[in-house]
Amino acid sequence: MLELTGHGQPAQDAPTYKPPGARRALIGLLGPAFVASIAYVDPGNVAANLTAGAQYGYLLVWVLVAANVMAVLVQYQSAKLGIVTGKSLPEILGERLKPFWRRAFWVQAEVVAAATDLAEVVGGAIALYLLFGLPLPLGALIVGAVSMLLLAVQARQKQRPFEFIIMFLLGIITVGFLAGLFISPPDPGAALAGLMPGFQGPDTVLLAASMLGATVMPHAIYVHSALSRDRHRPDEHLHVPPAAIARLVRATRFDVVAALAIAGLVNIGMLLLAASTLGGEEGTDTIEGAHAAITANLGPIVGVIFAVGLLASGLASTSVGCYAGGTIMQGLLKIRIPVMARRVVTLIPAVVLLAVGFDPTWALVLSQVVLSFGIPFVLVPLVVLTSNKALMGRFADGPALRIAAIISVVLVVALNLVLLWLTFSGGS
């Protein structure tokens, strides 16, 4: 375990970190990005990607590719911020914002976190319905109860076991969502054509915003800096020299690229599966309908594997989402609420919506649109902070990384403005 104190001088009598061998350092660092990457394969992704593929074929493949490239960039920046400063992004913002703006920022961040949790719990409930026929409200309660068990592992200061559990669930998610491609492979030419950016009216822009919100997740950006800090700061008095920090930053790149490559593969695979299997099928605008079509076309075994992947997605992502919400509140408001209490409170909206009969798949898609509007509020501060040499020292973003990050922010804001204009003007 490592501890970072930034790039200042060690405190008097502070022990100095002695770096392990390169291989040990690399293997020991793997994990935080895999936990954060769960946010990129949550049930909201399933709803958005299946809807896009079923209704518009390969048209929006480019959105997922671009979003995943952006995800790698911003998750690396978030993790680097936590490693270099020893603080989470919400903590740094909490220190720098004036009280009114700090509270306002917290409100929007919590709305985003709530939308995330809604999608994850609803997705898990749908999976239990598909597997066992359980009523959706009961399924939501079961998902909440199981997520409490997962969070209990992390709450006992056992981050490494928590990471292993999440990585295991990520493996199940990958198999669950990609298995169908071996039976119904996509059209390579059409998939390549989908890399060319384009829309077909306001509905596809809405879906693109939904896919973007499901892929570049604000709460994952907030929490990744905390995950890196928590892994490497067991003792605030341990000094880590710049050379050791540089090694950790290099290893973090590998961690982020590996984790997000898997998540991106799963997302693109879901859209390709929907495009190759669900096109022209009735009722594929819902996860239940898509599951029925997958089962009918690819067989019951693939249908069960898909539902198991959806369940693993809901359980893992709602656990990480709840942890992220606690990180946001603690960093911005300096208030720590027991994670179990937070889990109970955030579970209520999902159970209520399902109990009153709100369409669960539409709830998933709308939640991802909410997330897309929260992205600029986390990306802009992240770009500013990681470019600040007074804060980051020699680890501040270079010109190329800074330009790429700025372009990402501009693209996100532009997409959301176009979405608003097309939606409310009725343009096409």
Side-chain angles (χ1 to χ4, degrees):
M1 302 294 286
L2 316 177
E3 167 63 24
L4 307 177
T5 57
H7 26 267
Q9 296 299 318
Q12 187 175 1
D13 300 326
T16 299
Y17 160 68
K18 297 180 180 180
R23 178 178 298 179
R24 181 181 170 191
L26 176 60
I27 294 175
L29 187 62
L30 292 179
F34 283 85
V35 174
S37 73
I38 284 294
Y40 293 83
V41 288
D42 75 351
N45 293 83
V46 180
N49 296 335
L50 291 182
T51 300
Q55 295 184 2
Y56 299 100
Y58 303 95
L59 175 69
L60 298 177
V61 171
W62 67 273
V63 175
L64 290 180
V65 173
N68 204 68
V69 171
M70 292 170 55
V72 171
L73 171 66
V74 299
Q75 293 300 148
Y76 166 66
Q77 288 180 303
S78 176
K80 183 176 70 170
L81 182 70
I83 288 175
V84 173
T85 66
K87 297 179 181 179
S88 71
L89 175 57
E91 282 180 321
I92 296 174
L93 291 173
E95 293 172 354
R96 293 171 175 246
L97 293 174
K98 294 182 178 180
F100 173 81
W101 295 112
R102 176 165 49 84
R103 296 187 186 99
F105 195 94
W106 171 76
V107 169
Q108 67 80 26
E110 285 290 355
V111 169
V112 168
T116 301
D117 198 60
L118 171 66
E120 292 155 353
V121 174
V122 168
I126 293 175
L128 289 173
Y129 169 76
L130 296 175
L131 288 169
F132 307 110
L134 296 180
L136 292 177
L138 176 60
L141 291 174
I142 293 175
V143 169
V146 175
S147 68
M148 286 183 186
L149 297 178
L150 296 178
L151 289 167
V153 175
Q154 197 282 331
R156 294 179 179 178
Q157 306 300 317
K158 295 182 178 179
Q159 183 171 336
R160 196 60 172 155
F162 179 69
E163 291 173 354
F164 284 137
I165 293 172
I166 297 299
M167 292 167 76
F168 172 73
L169 291 173
L170 178 61
I172 295 177
I173 294 167
T174 303
V175 173
F177 291 147
L178 298 185
L181 289 175
F182 293 96
I183 299 176
S184 178
D187 180 345
L192 286 176
L195 295 175
M196 181 65 64
F199 297 106
Q200 289 181 2
D203 287 344
T204 58
V205 181
L206 175 64
L207 269 177
S210 177
M211 294 161 67
L212 181 66
T215 306
V216 182
M217 302 287 277
H219 77 286
I221 301 171
Y222 290 120
V223 79
H224 200 165
S225 56
L227 290 166
S228 298
R229 175 207 62 195
D230 292 346
R231 169 75 79 80
H232 305 299
R233 292 192 65 89
D235 178 2
E236 65 182 20
H237 301 297
L238 181 62
H239 169 67
V240 180
I245 296 177
R247 177 179 293 179
L248 291 173
V249 170
R250 287 194 298 269
T252 292
R253 293 195 196 108
F254 179 82
D255 189 35
V256 171
V257 170
L260 271 297
I262 294 174
L265 181 65
V266 171
N267 277 320
I268 294 172
M270 279 190 282
L271 188 147
L272 296 180
L273 178 64
S276 64
T277 306
L278 307 182
E281 295 282 344
E282 294 292 333
T284 53
D285 55 343
T286 68
I287 290 181
E288 298 96 316
H291 174 264
I294 289 173
T295 301
N297 287 283
L298 305 180
I301 294 178
V302 175
V304 170
I305 293 174
F306 178 87
V308 170
L310 179 62
L311 178 60
S313 170
L315 292 174
S317 57
T318 193
S319 301
V320 175
C322 190
Y323 177 66
T327 297
I328 292 169
M329 176 175 283
Q330 182 180 349
L332 289 169
L333 299 187
K334 307 302 180 185
I335 297 175
R336 182 192 293 270
I337 295 179
V339 69
M340 298 303 176
R342 185 178 182 88
R343 170 70 284 174
V344 171
V345 172
T346 57
L347 186 62
I348 294 174
V351 175
V352 170
L353 280 178
L354 294 175
V356 300
F358 194 84
D359 179 21
T361 300
W362 187 236
L364 291 178
V365 174
L366 286 180
S367 72
Q368 305 313 300
V369 175
V370 172
L371 296 186
S372 73
F373 286 102
I375 295 172
F377 291 99
V378 64
L379 286 188
V380 171
L382 181 66
V383 171
V384 172
L385 291 173
T386 55
S387 301
N388 187 333
K389 289 189 176 181
L391 179 68
M392 301 292 290
R394 57 179 278 201
F395 301 102
D397 292 343
L401 185 58
R402 191 179 310 141
I403 291 172
I406 292 173
I407 291 174
S408 297
V409 174
V410 171
L411 288 176
V412 171
V413 174
L415 180 60
N416 288 322
L417 290 176
V418 172
L419 168 64
L420 284 173
W421 182 75
L422 288 176
T423 300
F424 294 105
S425 71
S428 59

